[in-house]
Amino acid sequence: MAYQETTTTGYGTRLKNSLGGIGTGFLLFLAGTALLWWNEGRAVKTDKMLNEAEGVTVEMEDVSKIDPEFEGKLIHATAFANTKDSLSDPLFNIGATAIGIQRQVEYYQWVEHASSQSKDKFGGKQETVTTYTYSREWTNKPQRSETFHDPAYQNKNYTLYQAENFDQLAETVMFGAYKLNDYMKNAISNTQPIDLVFDQKQLETWNRDCERIFVRNTGQRAIGDIVSERVKQAVSNATKTTTTTTNDTLKKDSLQKDTVIAPAPNKKDLDYIHVNANVLYFGESPNSPQVGDVRITFTKTMPANVSIIAKVAGETFAQFKAKNGKTFQALSMGSKTAEEMYASGHASNNMWLWILRILGILMICGGLRGIFGILVTVLKVIPFLANIVGWGVSLVCNVIGVAWSLIIIAIAWIFYRPLLGILLLAIAGFLVWVFAFKGKDKLKDLANRNKNTQV
């Protein structure tokens, strides 16, 4: 069942918060403007850098030996990335000959979710109802249930085991006769599971530790004790139903043949530790997780065929630095041509251009709403009037925010690429004209209609 909390904010407090929001709004507006300007410059510089790099890239068809002819040049090559380094997870003593090994830890926990609804009251007060709901989920870190708002869920979380995520890279990864740098090693994504093998004593130690944690946190009996009791009860029942003959003339071997003997129980499996392929599971059942369970997955990055674009620097590779100061190096899985890799670079640049553009516009519009939000708050004593004004303020802020954003983008493009910048300025000017003049004409028409209606 959902848990709710209701809070009331007074009119004076709301005015005070709105005044504080003006400063925050200005900061957000300035940050959004700076982001737009920087982003446009970044995109243009990156585009020019990629074009410059593509123009000087040469093919290195044989990487089996270090060739002084390619020293300092930007090359494209395809080869098998390999290593002889043995890596090891120091906590679990799991190892592999690989480019990298990874440990990912997940916890099954109660997670708190909050949603709020606010309602304005006459007199300027605001009533906010916050609803808290709870669900059991796999998370990347333990959740602090002692801070949960619903007392029924407080202190419900615990963990049977705790560990940090872990990553390790091979020191030497060969690309023919050359060594890949750390950026390239990290870019290799040929991930495979590590088959787990643990010492039986270690498993039993973990199992005992988990048993103690389980009993301490749940107040329940240990699973092993419950199972042992059930086995003893089964043996007792089998003994009671054993039928023996009382005929003194029967031979001893005949008596043994006819007597039903209760079977000895099999060796008990570990109750809280389960190993399946590359997953180490702390909990009663991996198929039915309970709060407190922990799941640790081990993977390795194996040698693979890769394609690279980078500057040759002795026996390894370095970033290419363009005339405008932007740097570049790339690694793609499999056999990729230089054209394909540069096309991917341009696509990534355009994707980030639009992501940051949208973010900057939202920051500017949000900043303007924060600056002018005080106008709406002042009218909150009459909620329906404040709602009408709030709608209008939001509309004006969004229109001005989009127009301002287009102007900033246009000026940036004029600085970097004049033709497109002039076009964007024209669009921004058209939006301002429509809002300033056409909107004014519509307001006059509405006013005239109201006069005619009253007459």
Side-chain angles (χ1 to χ4, degrees):
M1 186 175 179
Y3 179 81
Q4 291 185 331
E5 287 184 348
T6 301
T7 57
T8 301
T9 306
Y11 183 63
T13 302
R14 298 183 71 183
L15 285 175
K16 182 179 178 181
N17 293 339
S18 293
L19 288 172
I22 294 176
T24 303
F26 268 115
L27 291 176
L28 196 59
F29 177 81
L30 293 175
T33 300
L35 176 62
L36 287 180
W37 179 271
W38 172 83
N39 181 46
E40 299 304 319
R42 178 207 61 79
V44 173
K45 289 179 180 178
T46 300
D47 187 63
K48 290 182 177 180
M49 176 272 294
L50 290 171
N51 291 334
E52 179 184 339
E54 189 170 10
V56 298
T57 299
V58 296
E59 288 291 332
M60 179 185 280
E61 297 183 358
D62 183 11
V63 295
S64 61
K65 62 180 184 300
I66 295 179
D67 191 343
E69 180 184 346
F70 290 97
E71 179 64 27
K73 293 183 178 179
L74 183 62
I75 63 96
H76 167 265
T78 298
F80 192 71
N82 200 6
T83 185
K84 295 181 180 179
D85 288 5
S86 294
L87 307 180
S88 178
D89 184 323
L91 182 59
F92 292 93
N93 199 27
I94 298 298
T97 300
I99 293 173
I101 59 173
Q102 304 84 32
R103 177 212 306 160
Q104 182 186 15
V105 186
E106 299 171 281
Y107 303 89
Y108 200 68
Q109 301 277 274
W110 282 109
V111 179
E112 182 179 70
H113 303 277
S115 61
S116 297
Q117 289 186 335
S118 297
K119 183 183 297 184
D120 293 325
K121 300 290 185 179
F122 278 98
K125 292 183 178 180
Q126 182 184 61
E127 184 180 86
T128 302
V129 178
T130 304
T131 301
Y132 297 95
T133 57
Y134 300 84
S135 61
R136 289 175 291 187
E137 303 172 15
W138 286 106
T139 65
N140 59 8
K141 62 181 180 180
Q143 301 294 299
R144 296 184 57 192
S145 57
E146 65 271 18
T147 64
F148 287 173
H149 289 78
D150 189 346
Y153 288 91
Q154 289 177 358
N155 299 309
K156 288 290 187 180
N157 281 337
Y158 72 97
T159 60
L160 291 175
Y161 189 86
Q162 286 196 30
E164 300 291 334
N165 290 340
F166 175 79
D167 293 278
Q168 185 181 33
L169 277 176
E171 183 177 348
T172 303
V173 178
M174 301 304 298
F175 185 78
Y178 293 86
K179 296 178 182 178
L180 295 182
N181 58 35
D182 285 346
Y183 168 85
M184 294 178 174
K185 288 184 281 187
N186 277 304
I188 298 173
S189 58
N190 184 27
T191 304
Q192 298 178 15
I194 298 177
D195 291 330
L196 301 179
V197 178
F198 293 105
D199 180 76
Q200 185 65 25
K201 290 183 178 180
Q202 176 63 76
L203 295 175
E204 291 173 355
T205 299
W206 282 335
N207 194 68
R208 286 193 299 270
D209 292 342
C210 288
E211 182 177 80
R212 286 194 294 268
I213 295 171
F214 175 82
V215 173
R216 183 174 68 246
N217 285 276
T218 65
Q220 301 178 25
R221 297 169 62 193
I223 298 170
D225 293 342
I226 297 173
V227 173
S228 296
E229 184 175 294
R230 290 176 179 173
V231 171
K232 290 178 181 179
Q233 186 64 39
V235 172
S236 176
N237 292 338
T239 303
K240 289 179 181 179
T241 57
T242 300
T243 57
T244 60
T245 180
T246 58
N247 192 337
D248 294 334
T249 61
L250 292 176
K251 294 181 178 180
K252 186 177 181 180
D253 58 339
S254 176
L255 177 63
Q256 291 175 340
K257 179 179 179 181
D258 294 336
T259 301
V260 179
I261 305 297
N266 293 328
K267 181 180 179 181
K268 182 175 72 67
D269 293 330
L270 296 175
D271 297 315
Y272 299 95
I273 305 297
H274 308 274
V275 180
N276 183 18
N278 67 322
V279 178
L280 173 61
Y281 194 93
F282 296 81
E284 183 179 354
S285 173
N287 296 322
S288 181
Q290 301 296 320
V291 170
D293 289 4
V294 180
R295 182 171 63 190
I296 306 179
T297 305
F298 298 87
T299 54
K300 57 186 176 182
T301 303
M302 297 302 291
N305 203 49
V306 299
S307 300
I308 69 167
I309 296 177
K311 187 179 74 172
V312 178
E315 62 177 10
T316 185
F317 301 99
Q319 294 179 329
F320 166 79
K321 188 172 184 179
K323 295 176 182 178
N324 61 14
K326 298 289 288 185
T327 58
F328 177 71
Q329 62 179 326
L331 181 144
S332 296
M333 298 301 297
S335 180
K336 298 289 181 66
T337 65
E339 290 77 11
E340 290 174 327
M341 295 181 68
Y342 278 112
S344 177
H346 283 291
S348 177
N349 183 40
N350 288 331
M351 178 188 70
W352 279 108
L353 171 65
W354 282 103
I355 289 175
L356 295 176
R357 272 179 179 170
I358 294 172
L359 177 60
I361 292 172
L362 292 176
M363 290 173 65
I364 288 172
C365 293
L368 289 172
R369 288 195 295 270
I371 293 170
F372 296 102
I374 185 67
L375 300 177
V376 182
T377 304
V378 168
L379 298 174
K380 286 295 184 179
V381 290
I382 307 176
F384 78 90
L385 181 60
N387 291 336
I388 295 173
V389 174
W391 181 86
V393 168
S394 179
L395 177 62
V396 171
C397 289
N398 288 337
V399 171
I400 293 177
V402 171
W404 176 259
S405 300
L406 291 176
I407 291 171
I408 296 301
I409 294 172
I411 294 174
W413 276 92
I414 286 177
F415 186 79
Y416 295 107
R417 289 184 179 178
L419 184 60
L420 185 57
I422 293 173
L423 178 61
L424 289 175
L425 272 179
I427 295 173
F430 176 74
L431 286 175
V432 172
W433 176 80
V434 168
F435 176 74
F437 295 98
K438 290 297 183 180
K440 183 178 179 181
D441 293 340
K442 286 186 177 181
L443 289 175
K444 288 182 178 180
D445 290 341
L446 288 173
N448 292 331
R449 289 177 186 177
N450 289 334
K451 288 181 180 179
N452 293 333
T453 301
Q454 292 175 357
V455 174

